[in-house]
Amino acid sequence: MTGCAITLSYPRRNLIDLSDFSAEEVNALLALAADIKKNPAAYQDACRGRVMATLFYEPSTRTQLSFQTAMLRLGGSVIGFDNPGNSSVSKGECLTDTTTIVSGYSDVLVIRHPKEGAARAASLKSKCSVVNAGDGGHLHPTQTLTDLLTLSQEKGRLTGLTIGLCGDLKNGRTVHSLIRAMSAYPGNRFILISTPYLALPDYSKAVLEASGCAYEEVSSLEEAIPQLDVLYMTRIQKERFESEEAYRQEKDVYILTKEKLEKGKQDLLVLHPLPRVDEISYEVDDDPRAMYFDQAVYGMYVRMALVYTLLLGTPAPLTDTFIKAPAHTCSNPNCITRSEPNLPHYYVMETGSEQCAYCSHAPLR
Ligand code: CP
């Protein structure tokens, strides 16, 4: 890609990708979340007078409500929408105009959007901190913070774990973010359990390769289960398929039943970002290894820790270095640059190759 390097400094800390926080900062967030869980009264007025805006262009239960609850439990207030059809988005307002305006009303902007790279786009002009609450099938860093807190509290460690990721590894943004985070801890190994159609995208495999993290791709959940310390089930993401027919061919391939779980270790942890459709049988819910409902509660505490840190902490200033190119040539049809062509043409060099700075896909050649 021809272009010149450009370094941007942001007025406030953002969380677009978990790599925006150092390993030490992530550990500090987890420790703070654990303290908030133990002593919630000590934090109940911490964010009084501060405002969070939650802009959800896509449906959500856990992420939206746990962020809102996090802010309310810290004494702050919440504005926002969960249906862009009720906002001026319905009149054709572009993403960056909406987020620029709302960032002038708030102290932290939490955004979920179906287009990949939307949170990065919002952060370029935002006057306040931006948190990526899920951008298409790309990343979901606060779900990863949730997963890390759950593992550290319930497993007692983030290292030396064999982690099975099962289901829609292609579209599962929680999987992509978790791989980025857990591949940085020593001794972790991934078993990627999916059909060929739902296999992990190349940009996530490149993260594994670059980190030297051991991984293998398999198709049988039953055969993988006995080796696992953690089984991370995922929903087949119907909304991201090109057709109903393509979805029908993939759905119901992986269903965790009580019978399959019997082959798992006694201290296996079963996680799921939720919502579930039918990939975990309801009978599994009563097994003490089923941790997905507790996981969702941990999500609220870690989001309290994140909001507290963004608004009251003194993290080092954040800068990003991009390659500014003459034109966008992102290969991803769902990249935000396809629907918002006014965005600057930024690329990054990551894991030895060029990637779109918004959605991490390779440029078209
Ligand atoms: N895990 C998760 O992101 O759930 P929601 O889609 O309900 O927010």
Side-chain angles (χ1 to χ4, degrees), residues 8 30 48-49 61 72 84 118 189 246 325 351 361:
L8 302 183
L30 301 181
R48 188 158 304 284
T61 297
L72 295 173
R189 179 167 79 103
T351 59
H361 283 66

Side-chain angles (χ1 to χ4, degrees), residues 1-8 10 116-117 120-121 124 138 180 203 319-333 335-338 340-341 343-365:
M1 183 66 54
T2 55
C4 57
I6 173 165
T7 298
L8 302 183
Y10 301 92
E116 294 166 18
R120 168 79 66 212
L124 295 179
H138 184 215
R180 282 180 187 235
Y203 69 83
T319 58
D320 272 320
T321 299
F322 300 122
I323 304 162
K324 189 160 195 246
H328 274 306
T329 55
C330 180
S331 60
N332 177 10
C335 179
I336 188 69
T337 58
R338 298 287 186 106
E340 305 238 349
L343 288 168
H345 310 151
Y346 290 152
Y347 289 83
V348 286
M349 281 300 286
E350 205 170 296
T351 59
S353 55
E354 290 164 348
Q355 292 183 355
C356 172
Y358 299 88
C359 74
S360 308
H361 283 66
L364 284 172
R365 292 284 165 209

Side-chain angles (χ1 to χ4, degrees), residues 59-64 112 140 143 273-275:
S60 166
T61 297
R62 276 145 293 274
T63 312
Q64 182 186 198
R112 171 171 289 191
H140 193 349
Q143 179 63 48
L274 303 178

